[in-house]
Amino acid sequence: MNFLAHLHLAEHSHTSPLGNLLGDFVKGPLAGDLAPELLLGIRLHRAIDRFTDTHAEHKAACTLFPAPWRRFAPVVVDLLYDHWLSRHWARFSPRPLDDFLDAHYRALLAARPYHAEHLPHGLPLALRRMAEQRWLESYASREGIAMALDGIGRRLRRPLPLSAALAPLGEQEWQHIELGFLRFYPQLLAHTEQTGQALRQEMMAAQTHGQRG
């Protein structure tokens, strides 16, 4: 999933939005000095990505991309899922999307002392730009998704115009991905809620055990 979905899933599971976003930037073993809410958010992000990447609907969507774009299909489908979440937002949240995004942009940009304490290198540049330039509103349009894909493509080891991956998709393929998303996302919401609760209980138990030790 991409930025918009991870923010929504963080709110749905009552976990840290920043922690969930950081899952794209913090790799490998997690440092023990991370704030517990960030640690929980990153772990939940990883669980969400595992569930998504192995789900039959996501895999089916990836098969719609011919070579040479098939290798990039998981990245493209993740962003398309943010597109369909934007388009069907009212199905999944009673809160208007503009209000939701405004609140999260402000929170990201206003918490810099927190970043300094827990993120010695600061807020990742992509997240800062996302909030400052209000990227996520554009995800509701195909043009906005194309621009976002090209932004990702510029950050690849070998830069390329990643929006070209959309060219082989006809209206039938777009509809196939949309309907697959609508079947998949309620399952992801349920999985995220259950996994968030399980991770929180696991971390609380570990903390209690450590205090007793």
Side-chain angles (χ1 to χ4, degrees):
M1 306 305 290
N2 211 271
F3 291 154
L4 178 59
H6 278 295
L7 283 174
H8 181 243
L9 293 165
E11 186 166 284
H12 178 74
S13 59
H14 307 290
T15 56
S16 165
L18 176 58
N20 278 272
L21 291 177
L22 287 174
D24 277 329
F25 303 92
V26 177
K27 307 298 182 183
L30 296 175
D33 58 352
L34 276 171
E37 64 268 29
L38 294 185
L39 183 62
L40 174 60
I42 294 168
R43 292 185 65 189
L44 184 60
H45 178 115
R46 293 178 177 184
I48 289 167
D49 283 357
R50 285 193 299 271
F51 182 84
T52 301
D53 291 343
T54 57
H55 196 280
E57 294 289 356
H58 193 274
K59 289 183 175 182
C62 289
T63 66
L64 299 175
F65 293 83
W69 301 112
R70 180 70 60 83
R71 62 181 293 200
F72 302 103
V75 174
V76 179
V77 172
D78 281 353
L79 201 53
L80 287 175
Y81 278 3
D82 263 16
H83 170 70
W84 294 122
L85 178 56
S86 294
R87 302 286 291 181
H88 295 285
W89 181 259
R91 291 192 183 203
F92 302 111
S93 176
R95 188 177 181 185
L97 180 56
D98 287 347
D99 291 350
F100 174 89
L101 292 177
D102 283 343
H104 283 293
Y105 291 149
R106 288 196 302 270
L108 281 172
L109 295 175
R112 294 192 177 180
Y114 184 89
H115 300 156
E117 180 180 356
H118 297 285
L119 303 173
H121 302 294
L123 191 67
L125 180 60
L127 293 183
R128 181 161 55 83
R129 286 182 174 170
M130 179 265 284
E132 290 174 344
Q133 299 173 14
R134 305 181 66 89
W135 289 355
L136 301 185
E137 283 89 343
S138 70
Y139 285 9
S141 71
R142 294 190 185 187
E143 294 79 8
I145 289 295
M147 290 176 60
L149 285 171
D150 282 339
I152 294 171
R154 286 191 293 271
R155 296 193 294 272
L156 296 176
R157 183 174 300 175
R158 294 184 177 179
L160 79 167
L162 195 53
S163 65
L166 300 176
L169 300 182
E171 288 305 314
Q172 185 174 355
E173 286 77 21
W174 276 88
Q175 185 179 38
H176 183 94
I177 296 172
E178 178 183 12
L179 294 176
F181 167 78
L182 292 174
R183 290 188 293 266
F184 159 75
Y185 200 66
Q187 297 176 41
L188 179 59
L189 287 170
H191 176 78
T192 299
E193 185 172 3
Q194 294 166 4
T195 304
Q197 292 173 355
L199 288 173
R200 187 180 286 109
Q201 291 170 1
E202 177 186 317
M203 291 175 64
M204 290 175 61
Q207 184 178 21
T208 301
H209 180 75
Q211 291 172 347
R212 291 174 179 172

